[in-house]
Amino acid sequence: MKNHLSKFLAAVLMLLSISAFAQKPPAGKVWPVAKANAWYKQHKWMSGADFIPSNAINQLEMWQAHTFDPATIDRELGYAESIGFNTMRVFLYSLAWKQDKAGFKKRVDQYLTIANKHHIQTMFVFFDDCWNADAKVGLQPAPKQGVHNSGWLQDPGNRLNNAGEIAMLQAYVTDVMTTFKHDKRILLWDLYNEPGNSNKKEASMGLLTKVFAWARAVNPDQPISVGLWDWTFEKLNTYQALNSDIVTYHDYTEEASHLKTIQMLKTHGRPLICTEYMARTRGSKFGNIMPMLKKENVGALNWGFVMGKTNTIYAWDNPMPDGGEPKEWFHDIFRKDGTPYKPEEVELIKKLNGK
């Protein structure tokens, strides 16, 4: 009897503990599974895209004062609203903050105001290991004709070798997150895009662990995550999955393979959001993937929205030096004037979003 009573009391204490966590997680701790799932249930099914305005080649051009373009952002987020998208994933940039801290945060707030007008929540990304490693403030290069994401920037890229860079990055993450930690227009903080990319692999572990620590110290209302993307990166994947409140991931494969990824990730018991998918020439399309994601209750954010200076209508590994339009776009949904690339895709997206 005594043993049963002690087990009963232990169970009660555990339930009380879970209840306390569900109200507010302590600083420095991963959200309990119960809180993560309760948070997810409060939202409609998340659908949207990775967003950069069509007239920006990279994150710096989007956020620097002289090229920040609220009119284009407003128009293109209007396209998103028209098809029922309610979530956008948007990359910030540390040098834009360093250049003009107050101005940068004002522009972030201005972006959020525009997005909120269109009933869109935002998932912000801090760091990135993809594409070009040498960023420079000021005028950004013109796109290379027919080359996918020719001007996209790693953050911090090669600057990580500079003295004092870690302190600057910590100040950047801490300042931005502290400013917006209670902002309901922000859905989630995506701390680091594809750590280990550009052949860095486990060399990215140092910055990955630091950015999680910085974010936990701020303890925002919003959940934090770093998306899984390369299944060979066992050490990085383990750290990302076990330290994320919500499990996010990238998958550009066709339906059967993508479903296996979902089934594997569901074993964590946490909500899932696919923050990158849809590469038409690789078999990842709206027609076969988006309905499956909705059926599985997985958030669906595709890469690419309006064709523009990022050149993401071209495939990663198939440049078109003549700059002609590919027979089948790799990413993107709309032309600049809001005309859909494939009207039948837009009709499907609208239907899935109840529009």
Side-chain angles (χ1 to χ4, degrees):
M1 177 66 73
K2 185 177 179 181
N3 188 44
H4 288 305
L5 181 60
S6 63
K7 285 183 178 180
F8 173 74
L9 291 172
V12 170
L13 288 171
M14 183 177 72
L15 288 171
L16 289 172
S17 175
I18 290 171
S19 176
F21 275 129
Q23 294 172 36
K24 186 175 181 181
K29 298 293 184 181
V30 181
W31 284 14
V33 170
K35 179 173 177 63
N37 286 306
W39 172 87
Y40 195 68
K41 287 176 183 176
Q42 291 170 4
H43 295 86
K44 292 181 180 178
W45 177 60
M46 298 162 190
S47 74
D50 288 70
F51 176 74
I52 185 168
S54 61
N55 59 354
I57 191 172
N58 58 31
Q59 312 94 306
L60 263 175
E61 192 158 46
M62 178 176 180
W63 291 111
Q64 288 186 127
H66 66 287
T67 45
F68 182 71
D69 186 352
T72 296
I73 291 169
D74 189 20
R75 182 175 63 253
E76 295 181 355
L77 290 184
Y79 303 162
E81 183 182 13
S82 74
I83 61 174
F85 276 176
N86 56 35
T87 308
M88 288 294 191
R89 181 173 181 248
V90 177
F91 288 68
L92 303 172
Y93 205 77
S94 61
L95 288 182
W97 172 85
K98 183 180 180 182
Q99 187 182 30
D100 176 16
K101 298 177 180 64
F104 176 79
K105 289 188 290 182
K106 183 178 178 180
R107 290 187 288 279
V108 169
D109 182 72
Q110 194 172 358
Y111 166 84
L112 288 169
T113 298
I114 296 167
N116 189 59
K117 182 182 81 170
H118 293 291
H119 310 289
I120 290 168
Q121 286 190 295
T122 300
M123 184 184 299
F124 279 131
V125 184
F126 282 109
F127 299 142
D128 192 353
D129 275 351
C130 294
W131 304 105
N132 298 291
D134 295 308
K136 293 179 175 62
V137 298
L139 183 68
Q140 297 303 295
K144 294 178 182 177
Q145 190 164 270
V147 177
H148 178 106
N149 252 337
S150 65
W152 195 265
L153 298 170
Q154 295 179 33
D155 192 4
N158 290 342
R159 291 182 290 115
L160 195 56
N161 300 321
N162 298 346
E165 191 69 15
I166 289 293
M168 187 278 281
L169 296 174
Q170 180 177 3
Y172 158 59
V173 171
T174 302
D175 184 27
V176 172
M177 288 189 76
T178 300
T179 301
F180 296 101
K181 66 184 288 185
H182 302 305
D183 198 318
K184 295 184 184 304
R185 298 170 298 178
I186 297 174
L187 178 73
L188 179 149
W189 299 100
D190 189 345
L191 304 179
Y192 199 150
N193 181 63
E194 299 197 352
N197 207 332
S198 304
N199 208 35
K200 294 181 179 185
K201 301 181 181 177
E202 289 185 8
S204 295
M205 181 61 81
L207 183 58
L208 176 68
T209 58
K210 286 180 175 65
V211 71
F212 266 110
W214 301 336
R216 292 294 177 201
V218 173
N219 194 28
D221 294 344
Q222 310 93 342
I224 66 175
S225 184
V226 174
L228 304 159
W229 70 281
D230 185 324
W231 309 118
T232 68
F233 290 177
E234 184 176 346
K235 188 174 179 182
L236 288 165
N237 289 339
T238 300
Y239 194 87
Q240 289 163 227
L242 295 181
N243 285 278
S244 293
D245 301 319
I246 309 300
V247 174
T248 60
Y249 71 96
H250 302 169
D251 195 311
Y252 287 103
T253 63
E254 43 72 37
E255 183 181 357
S257 172
H258 193 150
L259 181 57
K260 287 180 181 177
T261 297
I262 290 170
Q263 291 167 338
M264 175 184 68
L265 293 177
K266 279 187 175 181
T267 62
H268 288 281
R270 294 179 179 273
L272 300 183
I273 305 174
C274 180
T275 52
E276 291 187 26
Y277 78 101
M278 213 290 289
R280 293 181 183 90
T281 58
R282 290 184 170 237
S284 178
K285 304 183 181 187
F286 288 115
N288 63 343
I289 302 298
M290 197 173 182
M292 182 264 290
L293 292 173
K294 184 170 186 180
K295 181 181 178 184
E296 296 295 326
N297 194 28
V298 176
L301 278 65
N302 67 278
W303 187 276
F305 190 59
V306 179
M307 72 175 294
K309 292 174 77 173
T310 58
N311 276 349
T312 51
I313 63 171
Y314 302 102
W316 301 316
D317 50 4
N318 188 25
M320 295 182 63
D322 65 357
E325 184 173 322
K327 184 179 294 185
E328 186 169 28
W329 287 12
F330 194 62
H331 299 313
D332 300 331
I333 300 172
F334 290 104
R335 299 183 186 276
K336 289 185 180 182
D337 66 357
T339 304
Y341 162 59
K342 286 189 173 182
E344 65 273 21
E345 286 183 341
V346 164
E347 289 306 310
L348 173 65
I349 293 168
K350 290 170 69 175
K351 181 179 179 182
L352 290 169
N353 286 325
K355 292 291 283 187

